[in-house]
Amino acid sequence: MKAKATQVVDLLIARLNEISTGNGFFTDIPGEVMEDDPALYFDEHTALPCIGIRNLSDRLATQARAATNQTRTVEIVAYLERGPGVRARQDELLQDIYRTIFRPESIKFDGLAVEIEAGEAQLDDVDLGTKIIPIYLPIILTYNTLNWR
């Protein structure tokens, strides 16, 4: 059985994989969401825009006899190709990411909701002169695990 943190991140990835204009979003993502920073695998064949998730940290928030409250911080990393209207496309992709993560039904495991909090998105250029525009969005996932299982 997978650890709860892995299950939570897997569901987050599954949601991000739903981003497409066919599902009512502004953006089409041509490939699958990666389980790492896509920049690690860039080559001339990388289709943009692309999205990945990096694990940043995991911490024990509170612990009781029956349950442990934990937080996992991940960073959603997305890259778009520079060109006309790139800032508008960057804003649309960021809006798509927010819309897919913050759904009314939340993420649930065994009837328990996972709390999702977004940090401040960074929209800086990767390096001056590159052809890629990034989005870096930290996400804090708070969930609990039962100690006796």
Side-chain angles (χ1 to χ4, degrees):
M1 183 171 166
K2 287 184 181 179
K4 188 94 161 228
T6 303
Q7 293 176 36
V8 170
V9 173
D10 285 350
L11 272 177
L12 188 60
I13 289 170
R15 281 194 179 181
L16 290 169
N17 274 320
E18 295 174 7
I19 295 176
S20 73
T21 55
N23 288 335
F25 293 94
F26 297 116
T27 312
D28 271 318
I29 306 298
E32 294 290 314
V33 173
M34 295 181 184
E35 294 183 10
D36 210 340
D37 187 339
L40 298 173
Y41 308 100
F42 276 155
D43 63 20
E44 65 275 6
H45 306 292
T46 303
L48 297 176
C50 62
I51 298 177
I53 291 186
R54 296 182 327 121
N55 283 321
L56 295 180
S57 67
D58 192 279
R59 123 182 129 80
L60 180 74
T62 59
Q63 185 167 0
R65 185 170 189 198
T68 300
N69 219 16
Q70 290 179 255
T71 61
R72 167 68 55 102
T73 303
V74 298
E75 184 172 54
I76 297 172
V77 183
Y79 297 99
L80 299 102
E81 188 170 358
R82 185 184 303 275
V86 71
R87 294 294 175 202
R89 288 185 289 120
Q90 187 181 42
D91 289 341
E92 289 172 347
L93 179 53
L94 182 58
Q95 184 65 31
D96 289 342
I97 291 169
Y98 286 144
R99 284 178 52 214
T100 194
I101 292 173
F102 295 104
R103 295 179 184 176
E105 69 270 16
S106 187
I107 296 177
K108 296 189 185 283
F109 287 106
D110 299 325
L112 301 172
V114 173
E115 182 181 319
I116 304 170
E117 179 184 341
E120 188 172 327
Q122 295 188 16
L123 309 172
D124 296 346
D125 294 342
V126 173
D127 287 308
L128 204 55
T130 64
K131 296 180 180 182
I132 298 169
I133 300 292
I135 297 171
Y136 302 107
L137 179 64
I139 300 290
I140 301 166
L141 304 161
T142 303
Y143 58 94
N144 65 30
T145 55
L146 301 176
N147 294 335
W148 46 271
R149 282 193 182 178

